[in-house]
Amino acid sequence: MKMPQAVANLPGQVREELTHRLRRNERAFREEDVQVVERPLLKRAVGASALGNCMEWFDFGVYSYLAATVGKVFFPGASPGVQLISSFATFAAAFVVRPLGGLVFGPLGDRIGRQKVLATTMIMMALGTFSIGLIPSYATIGIAAPVLLLLARMVQGFSTGGEYGGATTFVAEYSPDRRRGFLSSWLDFGTFVGYALGSALVTVLHLLLTDDQMLSWGWRLPFLIAGPLGVIGLYMRLKLEESPAFQQQLDEHEKSLAQKSAGSEFRTILRNHWRPLLICMGIVLLYNVTNYMLTGYLPTYQTETLDRSSGFADVLVLIGMVWIVLLITFLGRLSDHVGRRPLYAVGAAAMIVLAVPGFWLLKSDGTVAPVFGMLLLSTLLACFAAPSAATLPALFPTAVRYAAMGIGFNFAVAAFGGTTPLFTEALVNATGNDLVPAYYLMVAGAIGLLTVRFLPESAQVPLHGSRPMVGSRTERQELITTSEKLYDFAKERSASR
């Protein structure tokens, strides 16, 4: 029995999922079975989410670029090494409360909607960041200064606990199945634009101000910018409509799950979805150890371990962030065609092999070799960042997606991502080996490669608990026609057996 060409052209994972749905429905798709996302609505949803994410991560990332300065302002009596570790410990504290934010905002996102929660996280992040810029120094109010800094960082962390899981869920649920990798990659495009803007601003301040001016008042400026940015981001997110998947809520197959999980969502997730939860945490570890090594630790690594100027260090990291911004949507589109798993696998394997050479280049004298090393490591990070916003939400059904992302993403980031600068700096100080960061990345690459082995391929596959999503009525008709051929083919094959 020959397979129809339209069916043969489907990727294997798509053919398998559609066959499962057709058998369950006992018929081919009809118009009401396929969700069409109007192009203007899709553009506004993706654009506003990416811009909001840019503002959110500008706020969150500024602290890492100013870690050495913050250490001098809030921990002046300590040695330079202890100042750094104390500053990074405060950095890590924000990640300790991230799981709590995920536990609070995740179920809310599944109950009251993604858009309302994302508006809340936007304003909380802006307030937390803005308040850091207003905290008096240790010289002015003593021990109260680092205590207030810690509290502000915890507000940031609590906010972020509901941000990435919600934003990825929102964009993934808006995106047509065929283009989910490309459209979702714009979310992390916004993340790294935010990082790049924070890095650029700090770089300009270091170039324009003296060290005394930076310590006195210059370090406050990036934090104070968070206020007006937060107002803009809040306005944009309040203008968004709820995602089609949430409006539709659940298909018939998932309604029983929603009813059962209404009073005990976390227990349901841990009992029924522990395998995708572990896969989510493995992918997040790979992505975020690399992410915070480059964005959170490398600026300080260069100034304190390699004795380079802060200007050179900031420019080098900025080059890496701009390179990721240029690559990320291309790699997101690539993941729609070749799959998410190959992109992760190649990146993780390359990390194991290239982490040490990358740091050798970073340590080299001159300018060309360090820039090349930064571009190498940034390319690996882009391989993990580009498919993540499409891959992680696809692991879970609509009924528990936001909450499951809140658990898996935030616990992994808290345990492994946000602690990366702290652990790495402590290990470098303890061992005196400036290649420790490379070894740390190699371990993350090995864990990531193992995780990819169990990762289901989700490229072009409809989300669990949602109707197939298409970008036009023409695509809907094509899918209906293909489903008719696939249903007939599957029925004939079953009869022939």
Side-chain angles (χ1 to χ4, degrees), residues 40-376:
L41 196 62
L42 176 62
K43 284 184 176 180
R44 190 170 70 197
V46 173
S49 297
L51 285 171
N53 214 45
C54 172
M55 295 173 187
E56 182 103 358
W57 290 98
F58 168 86
D59 292 353
F60 198 75
V62 158
Y63 186 96
S64 63
Y65 300 119
L66 290 168
T69 303
V70 168
K72 294 173 184 176
V73 172
F74 289 95
F75 309 98
S79 66
V82 174
Q83 284 179 350
L84 268 181
I85 292 174
S86 299
S87 182
F88 281 135
T90 309
F91 179 81
F95 292 85
V96 173
V97 297
R98 278 185 68 159
L100 181 60
L103 293 175
V104 172
F105 289 123
L108 278 177
D110 287 330
R111 298 285 184 266
I112 68 174
R114 288 63 162 120
Q115 182 262 355
K116 294 182 181 68
V117 173
L118 288 173
T120 303
T121 61
M122 181 80 252
I123 196 63
M124 282 187 67
M125 171 61 79
L127 289 173
T129 308
F130 185 75
S131 66
I132 293 177
L134 299 177
I135 299 173
S137 67
Y138 186 93
T140 304
I141 60 172
I143 192 64
V147 171
L148 290 173
L149 175 65
L150 179 62
L151 289 174
R153 286 292 295 168
M154 293 177 77
V155 171
Q156 285 186 316
F158 188 79
S159 160
T160 311
E163 169 63 25
Y164 190 80
T168 55
T169 294
F170 187 80
V171 173
E173 290 178 347
Y174 250 110
S175 301
D177 300 331
R178 294 181 186 176
R179 304 174 64 213
R180 185 168 293 116
F182 170 66
L183 292 170
S184 296
S185 68
W186 284 97
L187 191 66
D188 284 282
F189 174 92
T191 296
F192 286 98
V193 168
Y195 277 137
L197 290 175
S199 176
L201 179 56
V202 173
T203 301
V204 170
L205 289 175
H206 278 304
L207 293 174
L208 295 180
L209 303 178
T210 64
D211 290 343
D212 288 341
Q213 288 173 323
M214 279 296 294
L215 283 172
S216 176
W217 55 269
W219 68 272
R220 298 182 183 275
L221 296 179
F223 295 105
L224 295 176
I225 288 174
L229 285 182
V231 174
I232 295 170
L234 179 63
Y235 172 78
M236 293 167 55
R237 288 194 167 175
L238 287 174
K239 297 289 286 183
L240 290 173
E241 294 184 21
E242 194 52 80
S243 72
F246 185 80
Q247 289 177 345
Q248 163 199 338
Q249 187 53 155
L250 304 165
D251 64 19
E252 293 299 325
H253 183 60
E254 298 292 339
K255 281 183 180 176
S256 61
L257 174 60
Q259 292 164 357
K260 290 177 183 176
S261 64
S264 55
E265 190 165 8
F266 293 119
R267 188 165 62 250
T268 300
I269 292 169
L270 294 174
R271 183 178 64 245
N272 298 341
H273 304 285
W274 61 269
R275 188 184 296 273
L277 205 59
L278 289 176
I279 293 171
C280 174
M281 293 177 74
I283 294 296
V284 171
L285 183 153
L286 174 65
Y287 173 16
N288 279 277
V289 166
T290 312
N291 183 15
Y292 289 106
M293 185 70 76
L294 268 64
T295 61
Y297 181 62
L298 275 192
T300 303
Y301 173 77
Q302 293 182 81
T303 56
E304 304 302 318
T305 303
L306 303 182
D307 293 322
R308 287 176 174 157
S309 70
S310 56
F312 182 87
D314 291 339
V315 168
L316 197 60
V317 173
L318 178 59
I319 289 171
M321 297 303 99
V322 171
W323 179 242
I324 293 172
V325 167
L326 294 175
L327 282 181
I328 197 165
T329 55
F330 167 77
L331 293 173
R333 189 190 298 272
L334 182 65
S335 77
D336 283 328
H337 296 287
V338 304
R340 325 287 192 224
R341 295 180 78 242
L343 203 56
Y344 281 122
V346 170
M351 179 70 80
I352 297 170
V353 175
L354 298 176
V356 171
F359 269 82
W360 279 338
L361 290 168
L362 277 176
K363 290 169 50 184
S364 300
D365 295 331
T367 302
V368 176
V371 167
F372 188 74
M374 189 68 201
L375 293 177
L376 176 62

Side-chain angles (χ1 to χ4, degrees), residues 253 363 474 478 494:
H253 183 60
K363 290 169 50 184
T474 301
E478 289 175 1
S494 297

Side-chain angles (χ1 to χ4, degrees), residues 17-34:
E17 174 64 20
L18 294 184
T19 300
H20 172 72
R21 292 188 180 217
L22 296 175
R23 284 175 175 166
R24 190 179 70 208
N25 295 340
E26 297 183 344
R27 59 173 175 79
F29 291 143
R30 300 169 183 163
E31 285 195 0
E32 64 268 21
D33 298 320
V34 182

